[in-house]
């Protein structure tokens, strides 16, 4: 097994003459093994590991200069929105939020100042789908980079670099780690120049993961395909069961043929994953909170992608950083419940949800 090189520095042969590694912020053999594996699973040439998903996103935005513009999806992980609005706007980077599910909307706002298009597909938590290949054509014409947050799909279901993206971003905390025991992020790319720029940022800004955490993600990746099959199978069963439940009004899952993004999802993903959101017919906050607090097997917690199932209330948890008005405008209601369907026995999961919904 790849050892955990628990070291901050490396003995050198002579002053200025190292044996391939000099200081662990720049490189670490455990991290190097992970970064090589990250590149391979996304069909990329290069991988870079960061101390969190947000740190990976932060590194991408640091490619930009004041005055540059970013076109981003209006529905995405709340922490990404918070990073853009609360940290980077004040450095003079402009973010334009639009509904990217219709790529014509990107064409309408793209300009000479556009340096980056930021997509999440499927989105967290509304499971919206954007056509990556179509967005990549627009990005190329504009001379902008296309970065895709592939956390929900995972490299097992979708490979954005193959569809024309320049950078793939992951919160490795989720499915790559797979066991809810590590915080980490990743970037994968093909272009050598882009890799050099991002490596420069990784090394200079220093948001690198420790070797133990790299070991955990490296181990997680080995079973990604084994875990994703039951995540998808259980996801399909839970989504259909919810849809037939008399107390459920709406289920967000891209595997339903009448989901607006179904055709694109089918084209660019090999299956539809285990992330599901839903609303109750009684959409009072009281009833929503009651259901959220009633499950036993689905643990009430932020995060997703671990083998154990989680239940989450985006409005007060993962997406609380998005102003309510903005959230509602984008379709994220206070009554939305998000599930990360794990790999437990699906009958146990249905029984748990059944008792909670009542
Ligand atoms: C889609 C998505 N992107 C990025 C992140 C941020 O990752 P991290 O929590 O590892 O910083 C998350 C976290 O929930 C996420 O769901």
């Amino acid at each position: 097994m790849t050892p955990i090189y628990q070291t901050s520095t490396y003995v050198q042969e002579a002053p200025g003459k190292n044996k391939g590694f000099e200081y662990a912020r720049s490189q670490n053999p455990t991290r190097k093994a992970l970064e090589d594996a990250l590149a391979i699973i996304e069909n990329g040439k290069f991988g870079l590991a960061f101390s969190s998903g947000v740190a990976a996103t932060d590194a991408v935005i640091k490619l930009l200069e004041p005055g540059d513009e970013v076109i981003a999806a209006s529905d995405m992980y709340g922490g990404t929105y918070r990073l853009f609005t609360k940290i980077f706007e004040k450095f003079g980077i402009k973010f334009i939020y639009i509904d990217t599910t219709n790529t014509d909307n990107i064409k309408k706002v793209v300009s000479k100042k556009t340096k980056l298009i930021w997509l999440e597909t499927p989105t967290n938590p509304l499971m919206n789908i954007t056509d990556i290949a179509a967005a990549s054509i627009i990005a190329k014409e504009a001379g902008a980079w296309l970065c895709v947050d592939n956390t929900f799909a995972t490299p097992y279901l979708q490979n954005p670099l193959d569809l024309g993206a320049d950078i793939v971003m992951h919160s490795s905390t989720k499915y790559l780690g797979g066991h809810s025991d590590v915080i980490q992020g990743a970037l994968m790319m093909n272009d050598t120049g882009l890799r050099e720029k991002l490596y420069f940022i990784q090394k200079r800004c220093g948001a690198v993961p420790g070797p133990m955490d790299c070991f955990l993600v490296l181990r997680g990746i080995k079973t990604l395909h084994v875990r994703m099959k039951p995540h998808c199978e259980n996801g399909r069963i839970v989504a259909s069961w919810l849809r037939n439940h008399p107390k459920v009004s709406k289920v967000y899952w891209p595997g339903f043929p009448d989901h607006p993004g179904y055709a694109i999802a089918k084209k660019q993903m090999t299956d539809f994953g285990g992330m599901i959101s839903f609303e109750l017919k009684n959409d009072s906050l009281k009833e929503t909170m009651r259901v959220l607090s009633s499950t036993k097997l689905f643990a009430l917690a932020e995060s997703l992608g671990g083998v154990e199932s989680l239940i989450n209330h985006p409005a007060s948890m993962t997406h609380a950083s998005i102003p309510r008005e903005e959230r509602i405008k984008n379709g994220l209601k206070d009554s939305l419940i998000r599930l990360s369907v794990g790999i437990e026995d699906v009958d146990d999961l249905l029984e748990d949800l059944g008792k909670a919904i009542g």
Side-chain angles (χ1 to χ4, degrees):
M1 287 297 101
T2 308
I4 300 163
Y5 285 87
Q6 194 69 52
T7 181
S8 61
T9 193
Y10 309 89
V11 172
Q12 304 201 2
E13 280 172 1
K17 192 164 177 247
N18 65 56
K19 301 177 195 171
F21 295 90
E22 50 191 5
Y23 184 61
R25 176 160 37 74
S26 312
Q27 262 309 352
N28 172 288
T30 319
R31 195 173 98 214
K32 169 88 174 70
L34 170 65
E35 290 180 335
D36 291 348
L38 289 169
I40 290 167
I41 57 172
E42 274 296 6
N43 298 337
K45 283 199 185 126
F46 309 106
L48 293 169
F50 291 82
S51 53
S52 68
V54 165
T57 305
D58 175 89
V60 174
I61 306 302
K62 283 175 178 159
L63 289 167
L64 309 178
E65 305 281 339
D68 287 350
E69 287 185 7
V70 180
I71 299 172
S74 49
D75 165 40
M76 59 181 180
Y77 168 58
T80 307
Y81 176 85
R82 180 172 48 198
L83 178 72
F84 291 176
T85 52
K86 297 279 187 276
I87 304 290
F88 282 109
E89 267 178 19
K90 68 173 184 263
F91 293 117
I93 295 167
K94 190 174 166 198
F95 295 87
I96 301 167
Y97 300 99
I98 54 155
D99 173 5
T100 56
T101 60
N102 178 355
T103 45
D104 285 345
N105 292 338
I106 307 180
K107 281 188 196 150
K108 282 183 202 148
V109 292
V110 81
S111 78
K112 280 203 296 267
K113 290 187 180 164
T114 309
K115 290 289 166 340
L116 177 70
I117 297 175
W118 183 277
L119 296 184
E120 208 179 280
T121 181
T123 57
N124 180 359
L126 290 171
M127 312 301 297
N128 284 317
I129 305 290
T130 296
D131 188 331
I132 299 171
S136 90
I137 293 169
I138 303 169
K140 279 193 179 60
E141 276 169 9
W145 288 302
L146 174 66
C147 181
V148 179
D149 182 337
N150 203 27
T151 301
F152 265 38
T154 83
Y156 182 69
L157 301 180
Q158 176 172 276
N159 297 114
L161 295 179
D162 292 347
L163 300 165
D166 299 286
I167 309 169
V168 176
M169 177 264 156
H170 279 278
S171 167
S172 319
T173 312
K174 312 295 169 7
Y175 288 102
L176 298 187
H179 297 79
S180 305
D181 52 10
V182 65
I183 294 283
Q184 205 174 113
L187 297 177
M188 296 81 153
M189 72 278 336
N190 276 319
D191 184 75
T192 311
L194 197 50
R195 190 261 170 199
E196 286 316 304
K197 283 187 171 66
L198 288 164
Y199 173 62
F200 184 87
I201 294 167
Q202 182 200 41
K203 179 174 165 175
R204 297 303 185 280
C205 297
V208 290
M212 176 71 198
D213 287 354
C214 291
F215 173 85
L216 287 173
V217 176
L218 201 49
R219 189 168 66 174
I221 285 172
K222 292 182 197 187
T223 57
L224 181 66
H225 64 300
V226 181
R227 289 181 281 110
M228 284 314 290
K229 279 185 200 140
H231 277 301
C232 292
E233 277 162 23
N234 285 356
R236 179 174 286 107
I237 295 169
V238 171
S240 307
W241 180 88
L242 281 170
R243 200 173 211 203
N244 290 323
H245 197 288
K247 292 194 176 169
V248 172
S249 64
K250 189 160 183 188
V251 184
Y252 300 79
W253 185 66
F256 292 132
D258 59 357
H259 182 285
Y262 176 77
I264 297 164
K266 208 165 163 20
K267 187 179 72 169
Q268 65 191 15
M269 298 170 75
T270 53
D271 207 340
F272 304 103
M275 293 302 300
I276 302 166
S277 295
F278 69 99
E279 286 154 12
L280 298 165
K281 279 189 186 146
N282 175 356
D283 66 352
S284 67
L285 201 54
K286 195 171 163 222
E287 179 61 4
T288 306
M289 293 305 189
R290 189 196 64 73
V291 170
L292 279 154
S293 312
S294 303
T295 55
K296 299 269 183 296
L297 202 49
F298 279 87
L300 177 63
E302 300 203 4
S303 205
L304 59 109
V307 290
E308 289 95 2
S309 295
L310 299 180
I311 189 165
N312 165 61
H313 183 229
S316 68
M317 295 165 71
T318 45
H319 292 68
S321 55
I322 303 175
R324 186 168 184 274
E325 211 177 284
E326 198 66 26
R327 260 193 289 116
I328 304 284
K329 201 175 79 193
N330 296 325
L332 201 174
K333 297 183 188 158
D334 290 338
S335 54
L336 191 83
I337 296 174
R338 191 191 74 185
L339 300 178
S340 171
V341 179
I343 66 167
E344 302 93 334
D345 186 304
V346 75
D347 290 335
D348 292 344
L349 294 178
L350 297 181
E351 190 185 331
D352 191 36
L353 283 175
K355 282 188 182 151
I357 296 171

